[in-house]
Amino acid sequence: MIHFIGPRIKDYYDICSIINNKAMSRVKTLGQFIIEKQADFPYSKGELSRLLRDIGIASKIVNREVNKAGLADILGDAGEINVQGENVKKLDVYANEQFIAALSAGGECCAIASEENEDIIIVENEMSKNAKYVVAMDPLDGSSNIDVNVSVGTIFSIYRRTTLTGPGTPEDFYQRGTEQVAAGYVIYGSSCMLVYTTGKGVNGFTLDPSIGEFCLSHPDMQTPKDAKTYSINEGNYVHFPDGVKKYIKYCQEEDKATNRPYSSRYIGSGVADIHRNLITGGIYIYPTTSKSPNGKLRLLYECNPLAFIVEQAGGKATDGSRRILELDIKELHQRTPLFLGSANMVDLACEYMKKYSTSEV
Ligand code: AHM
Ligand code: MG
C-alpha cells in the first residue's frame, strides 16, 4: 500500500499545479486589460489608463467598507442633506471621499463633479492642474438600500476637458454624453463587479477577493434586443405620463407570441437594476412624475454613463423621445427622464410615449 501512496500524492500535486497554471493563464486582471487596450488609442500617453486604474483602486476600498457595513458604525444618516435635498448616508460620504482622494492622488484629472457636492471639486495639486480629463460620478448610487443589505453601486463618466490649461471649470462638464471618453459602473453586490467602456464595447471585471484584483469575467458584453423584464417604480403609477401607463399595461397583457406578460423587477438601486437588465435583457424606466417633473435621475453622472454603456452593448437610452447622449447639459445636477435597455423594448416604449403622451417627454 505505502508503495503506491508516494507516487499518487505526487501525481495529485502535479495535476493541481497544471490546473492552477491553466487557470492563472486564463485570468486577465483589469490592470493587464487596460494596458493591452491602450494600443486602441495610438496617441495615448497612458493618462486614461491611469485614471481607470485609480477608479479601480477606490472601488476596492469602497467595496471593503460596503461589505462590513453591518459591522462597523457606518450605517445610518451622516446628519447632512445633500444638494438634491436627500439624507446623506455615512457610506455616501465615505465613498465620495475615497473616489476624490484616489482621483486627486492619481494626478490625471483636473476636476471632479459628484452627486454629493453642489459645485465641482478642483483638484489643486501640481500634477493635476493641467491634467486633461474631468470625472463626473455618483459615488454611491442606490444609497437608500445601504441599510438593508441590498446592492449599491458607483457610476462614473470621463470627459476630456474643453478648457486647455489651468484649473478645471464647470464648463468642462457641460458636454454632451457623446463626448464621453470612458464611462462605467461598479456594483457592490453578491460579488463586486466593475463594468466599463471606452467606446469600443463593454467589458466586465469581477473582484477576486483572494488576490484583490478585478479579473475579466464578462468580455464584450452584449444586451439582448428583446426581453421580458420591465423595471420601474410602479408605486408612482398614478403620476406617470399616459405613454408610460399604457406601456406598462402592454407589458402586463397576456400574449403568447410576444411572451407576455413580462416580469416586473425593480430593486430601486439603479446600478443593480440596469446591470441585471444589461445581462438578461429588459427595460429600465424612470419617467417624469408629478413629484419629479424632469425625472429623478441626473444626466451628467447617472444617465449619460449608463446610456454610453448600454448603447455600447447594443441597447438604447432615451428620455422618452430623444437620445440621452445627445441631450444638452446646462447644469451639473440636471435631471432627465430615462428609458434604457433592450433596443426593441425602448423603441416600443418611445412609440407609446409619442402616441399617448401630450408633452414632449
Ligand atoms: P440616488 O443616486 O440618490 O441613490 O438615487 C438614484 C436611485 C437609483 O439608483 C434608483 O433606480 C432610483 O433612484 C430609485 O428611486 P425611487 O426610490 O424613486 O424608485
Ligand atoms: Mg444615484
Side-chain angles (χ1 to χ4, degrees), residues 115 138 141 298 302:
E115 178 178 342
D138 180 354
D141 180 61
R298 277 52 59 118
E302 292 179 322

mmCIF file of all heavy atoms in Angstrom, residues 115 138 141 298 302, ligand 2:
data_model
loop_
_atom_site.group_PDB
_atom_site.id
_atom_site.type_symbol
_atom_site.label_atom_id
_atom_site.label_comp_id
_atom_site.label_asym_id
_atom_site.label_seq_id
_atom_site.Cartn_x
_atom_site.Cartn_y
_atom_site.Cartn_z
ATOM 1 N N GLU A 115 -22.310 63.736 -7.254
ATOM 2 C CA GLU A 115 -23.683 63.919 -6.775
ATOM 3 C C GLU A 115 -23.689 64.543 -5.375
ATOM 4 O O GLU A 115 -24.615 65.247 -5.008
ATOM 5 C CB GLU A 115 -24.417 62.570 -6.735
ATOM 6 C CG GLU A 115 -25.834 62.720 -6.204
ATOM 7 C CD GLU A 115 -26.654 61.449 -6.183
ATOM 8 O OE1 GLU A 115 -26.284 60.484 -6.874
ATOM 9 O OE2 GLU A 115 -27.662 61.434 -5.471
ATOM 10 N N ASP A 138 -21.372 59.458 -9.491
ATOM 11 C CA ASP A 138 -22.288 59.247 -8.376
ATOM 12 C C ASP A 138 -21.577 58.210 -7.524
ATOM 13 O O ASP A 138 -21.538 57.032 -7.870
ATOM 14 C CB ASP A 138 -23.637 58.712 -8.886
ATOM 15 C CG ASP A 138 -24.606 58.487 -7.738
ATOM 16 O OD1 ASP A 138 -24.176 58.634 -6.578
ATOM 17 O OD2 ASP A 138 -25.776 58.169 -8.000
ATOM 18 N N ASP A 141 -24.562 55.079 -5.627
ATOM 19 C CA ASP A 141 -25.921 55.139 -6.165
ATOM 20 C C ASP A 141 -26.796 54.075 -5.488
ATOM 21 O O ASP A 141 -26.331 52.970 -5.203
ATOM 22 C CB ASP A 141 -25.870 54.868 -7.670
ATOM 23 C CG ASP A 141 -27.240 54.922 -8.293
ATOM 24 O OD1 ASP A 141 -27.860 55.988 -8.224
ATOM 25 O OD2 ASP A 141 -27.693 53.903 -8.834
ATOM 26 N N ARG A 298 -29.997 61.948 -12.664
ATOM 27 C CA ARG A 298 -29.149 63.037 -13.116
ATOM 28 C C ARG A 298 -28.460 62.678 -14.438
ATOM 29 O O ARG A 298 -27.959 61.564 -14.603
ATOM 30 C CB ARG A 298 -28.087 63.354 -12.056
ATOM 31 C CG ARG A 298 -28.537 64.256 -10.930
ATOM 32 C CD ARG A 298 -29.780 63.884 -10.187
ATOM 33 N NE ARG A 298 -29.759 62.584 -9.538
ATOM 34 C CZ ARG A 298 -29.866 62.379 -8.245
ATOM 35 N NH1 ARG A 298 -29.985 63.394 -7.436
ATOM 36 N NH2 ARG A 298 -29.901 61.155 -7.749
ATOM 37 N N GLU A 302 -25.320 60.009 -13.961
ATOM 38 C CA GLU A 302 -26.086 58.757 -13.901
ATOM 39 C C GLU A 302 -26.490 58.326 -15.316
ATOM 40 O O GLU A 302 -26.100 57.265 -15.794
ATOM 41 C CB GLU A 302 -27.321 58.911 -12.998
ATOM 42 C CG GLU A 302 -26.945 59.100 -11.531
ATOM 43 C CD GLU A 302 -28.124 59.288 -10.594
ATOM 44 O OE1 GLU A 302 -29.120 59.955 -10.960
ATOM 45 O OE2 GLU A 302 -28.043 58.809 -9.454
HETATM 46 MG MG MG B 2 -27.619 57.996 -7.906
#
